[in-house]
Amino acid sequence: YRRMSGGERQRLALACAVVGRPDLVFLDEPGAGMDPQTRSAAWDLVEQLRADGVTVVLTTHQMDEAERLADDILVVDHGRLLASGSLADLVGRDEGLSFTCAPGIDVPALRAAVPGISEVRELPASRYRLEGAISPATVAAVATWCADRGLVVTNLSTSRRTLEDVFLELTGRDLRS
């Protein structure tokens, strides 16, 4: 055991946790220290346990691990429960559209001009983020609105909100001791 790598120790701990096919298993950071192939195999095992009816209680700092493996998620910070629910409950169903443009554009006017948008925010470095029902018409409306004002849009991309986004919104982005 002393000569095993961190990933090998994690694999052994996971095997010991499930060897008796328990009805309930507690896993603390099951993917920590594992290479991508081993982590994927471990996650597949956890998914199979869930499919077999095993209750899995998982603690992790890896938001992608929680997104893939958890039915219900609890966001805890400094011992306080900040949010709970399914992944869809926490991240929402809306998508986002981000782009770079001139600083200080008329955000309320842009929001009014683009249907289906729930929020428009100006971010640092002349970056903007729209959230809501993003469609090809949304992208065209943003580009048209900017073009009508002589503004060049760059770095336009769409994305879904992630659990990491939610965690950072709830806990803040500053490093803490």
Side-chain angles (χ1 to χ4, degrees):
Y1 183 81
R2 286 183 297 166
R3 291 188 178 119
M4 291 178 151
S5 70
E8 290 171 328
R9 289 179 182 181
Q10 281 292 90
R11 288 184 2 217
L12 178 59
L14 183 57
C16 289
V18 302
V19 72
R21 284 306 224 191
D23 294 327
L24 170 66
V25 64
F26 291 87
L27 300 176
D28 183 24
E29 304 277 354
M34 292 182 176
D35 62 76
Q37 292 90 352
T38 305
R39 184 175 47 251
S40 179
W43 290 0
D44 289 346
L45 174 63
V46 173
E47 288 174 331
Q48 186 59 52
L49 290 169
R50 288 175 47 221
D52 291 345
V54 175
T55 300
V56 178
V57 178
L58 170 80
T59 59
T60 185
H61 289 92
Q62 303 300 318
M63 298 299 111
D64 58 334
E65 187 169 59
E67 285 180 345
R68 178 169 166 185
L69 300 177
D71 293 321
D72 294 303
I73 299 169
L74 289 82
V75 178
V76 177
D77 186 46
H78 291 282
R80 288 185 26 241
L81 177 64
L82 301 180
S84 64
S86 69
L87 180 62
D89 292 338
L90 294 175
V91 302
R93 302 200 190 294
D94 288 347
E95 296 176 305
L97 182 145
S98 300
F99 65 95
T100 304
C101 194
I105 67 173
D106 187 351
V107 169
L110 175 60
R111 186 177 187 278
V114 181
I117 296 302
S118 57
E119 181 178 359
V120 178
R121 292 178 297 174
E122 184 171 1
L123 306 171
S126 304
R127 196 106 180 109
Y128 299 88
R129 176 143 178 102
L130 289 75
E131 293 182 8
I134 306 299
S135 68
T138 307
V139 175
V142 168
T144 300
W145 186 89
C146 289
D148 289 348
R149 286 154 184 78
L151 303 170
V152 175
V153 172
T154 59
N155 301 318
L156 188 136
S157 64
T158 60
S159 63
R160 287 199 172 276
R161 195 166 164 225
T162 66
L163 188 55
E164 186 165 319
D165 296 329
V166 171
F167 182 85
L168 291 172
E169 288 168 13
L170 292 169
T171 63
R173 295 181 176 272
D174 295 334
L175 292 177
R176 297 173 285 183
S177 54

